[in-house]
C-alpha cells in the first residue's frame, strides 16, 4: 500500500492498510494470518483495529473452527464512499493495474512516478504513468480515461518502446573512465 498524506489525516497507518486490503477487495474473506502477512505485520497487531472496524459495521467477522476471517460489510451504508476515498488515495496502482490488464502481454514495465509515487500529491496532482512496451496511446486511451474517472485525477502516460530504451542506453557515454 502506498502512503497518502490526505488519508493520514483521517486514519492511522495500520487502519489505512486494513481498509485498503478489505474494502478495495470486498469479495474476499481474509483469514487473519493471511491479512497480517499481506500487510507485513503480526496478527496480534491487527486485532484491536479489526475489532473496532467490525463493531463499526465496516467489516464482517466469520469464525470457522479456530480460524477467523474478515470481509468488507456490503450492508455498510457508507461502504461506497469509503471505497471511493481509498481508491483516490491508496488504490491508484490497483485501478491502473486493472485498466491495463488487457494489454499485459504487450507491456513490459508500468510504474507510477512523480508526486503520487513520492506521496506528495495535492488535490490538483495528476497521475504520472510510465509504460514500457509495444502498445500505442490510441489503444490505451479508452482504458486510461476510465481509470481517470475512477480516480478523479487526470493521467499523464509516457510511452516508451523497449528498443528506444536500448538505443538511449547505448548512445550515452560513461560518466568517467574509472566508472565513477
Amino acid at each position: 500500500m502506498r502512503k497518502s498524506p490526505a488519508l493520514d489525516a483521517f486514519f492511522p497507518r495500520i487502519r489505512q492498510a486494513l481498509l485498503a486490503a478489505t474494502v478495495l477487495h470486498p469479495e474476499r474473506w481474509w483469514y487473519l494470518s493471511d491479512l497480517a502477512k499481506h500487510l507485513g505485520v503480526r496478527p496480534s497487531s491487527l486485532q484491536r483495529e479489526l475489532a473496532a472496524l467490525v463493531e463499526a459495521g465496516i467489516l464482517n467477522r466469520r469464525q470457522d473452527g479456530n480460524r477467523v476471517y474478515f470481509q468488507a460489510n456490503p450492508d455498510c451504508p457508507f461502504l461506497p464512499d469509503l471505497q471511493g476515498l481509498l481508491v483516490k488515495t491508496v488504490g491508484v496502482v490497483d485501478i491502473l493495474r486493472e485498466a491495463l490488464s488487457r494489454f499485459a502481454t504487450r507491456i513490459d514495465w508500468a510504474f507510477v512516478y512523480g508526486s503520487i509515487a513520492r506521496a506528495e500529491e495535492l488535490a490538483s496532482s495528476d497521475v504520472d504513468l510510465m509504460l514500457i512496451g509495444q502498445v500505442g496511446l490510441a489503444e490505451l486511451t479508452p482504458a486510461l480515461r476510465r481509470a481517470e474517472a475512477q480516480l478523479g485525477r487526470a493521467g499523464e502516460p509516457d510511452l516508451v518502446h523497449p528498443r528506444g530504451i536500448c538505443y538511449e542506453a547505448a548512445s550515452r557515454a560513461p560518466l568517467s573512465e574509472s566508472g565513477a
Side-chain angles (χ1 to χ4, degrees), residues 64-83:
D64 183 16
N66 63 350
R67 294 181 145 224
V68 179
Y69 296 87
F70 297 90
Q71 179 188 48
N73 180 358
D75 297 326
C76 176
F78 52 87
L79 184 64
D81 299 312
L82 190 53
Q83 287 170 323

Side-chain angles (χ1 to χ4, degrees), residues 48-67:
R48 184 177 300 147
E49 289 291 338
L50 286 166
L53 292 169
V54 168
E55 171 121 5
I58 297 168
L59 297 182
N60 286 328
R61 180 183 188 274
R62 181 186 80 193
Q63 191 156 354
D64 183 16
N66 63 350
R67 294 181 145 224

